Amino acid sequence: MKQKLVLRFPAAVVEQPFIYILAKEYNVVANILKANINPRKEGSMVVELTAAPEEFATALQFLQSRGVEVSPLEQQIIWVEERCTQCGACTVICPSNALWMQRPEMTVAFCSEKCVVCERCLKACPARAVEALYLAGE
Ligand code: SF4
Ligand code: SF4
């Protein structure tokens, strides 16, 4: 199984090699998407963890037993209209029509409710007018 999570580390444990332990002792592959780690300060990390279901559950128990707060990731796509050059590249590859070309004006529009967070537009946009926002769920 594969899941994106937000990990929050208390200052007391922030310097422990959790990613190494997950790989070595629990066979969990961690793909770090974002990290904010500083010595002796609270830290956070957005990770995508891949593992067999049983090992995944045991690994999460290990993290929580060490004081790491684990939350599911909620991801949201933001379209920054001011940066958009109206090139239309994202509207061609968006699978849900969340980014589309309005006619006859031929201007780009975005509807967050239609977005399935596939992230294709992030890679396609030459102007970095689309951003991913990571939020910790309950
Ligand atoms: S993340 Fe995917 S669905 Fe959402 S706007 Fe971008 S391309 Fe469309
Ligand atoms: S790819 Fe980027 S710059 Fe081009 S229309 Fe989409 S958001 Fe605008």
Side-chain angles (χ1 to χ4, degrees):
M1 65 179 288
K2 192 182 272 196
Q3 193 176 355
K4 289 179 183 169
L5 298 167
V6 179
L7 308 181
R8 291 216 169 80
F9 304 92
V13 302
V14 76
E15 293 178 55
Q16 292 184 21
F18 287 110
I19 299 302
Y20 172 77
I21 295 170
L22 288 180
K24 183 140 178 68
E25 297 186 15
Y26 298 93
N27 294 319
V28 173
V29 177
N31 180 22
I32 300 172
L33 303 173
K34 195 174 178 183
N36 180 18
I37 303 289
N38 296 294
R40 297 182 295 281
K41 288 187 179 166
E42 278 185 21
S44 64
M45 200 180 272
V46 178
V47 286
E48 184 176 64
L49 300 184
T50 307
E54 282 178 15
E55 288 171 320
F56 193 91
T58 316
L60 292 194
Q61 284 168 10
F62 157 73
L63 289 172
Q64 287 163 336
S65 74
R66 296 294 182 91
V68 179
E69 191 184 308
V70 181
S71 313
L73 178 73
E74 286 177 10
Q75 203 176 343
Q76 204 177 323
I77 296 294
I78 308 287
W79 175 54
V80 186
E81 187 171 359
E82 301 75 44
R83 276 193 229 143
C84 177
T85 60
Q86 307 288 328
C87 74
C90 59
T91 65
V92 178
I93 48 90
C94 179
S96 64
N97 216 25
L99 280 158
W100 77 98
M101 194 64 83
Q102 301 177 108
R103 296 173 198 274
E105 306 92 325
M106 296 304 282
T107 54
V108 173
F110 174 62
C111 173
S112 60
E113 286 173 15
K114 289 191 203 164
C115 176
V116 296
V117 198
C118 70
E119 298 190 352
R120 288 187 198 172
C121 55
L122 292 181
K123 298 177 189 115
C125 179
R128 295 179 183 263
V130 195
E131 295 178 356
L133 187 65
Y134 295 116
L135 305 162
E138 293 303 316

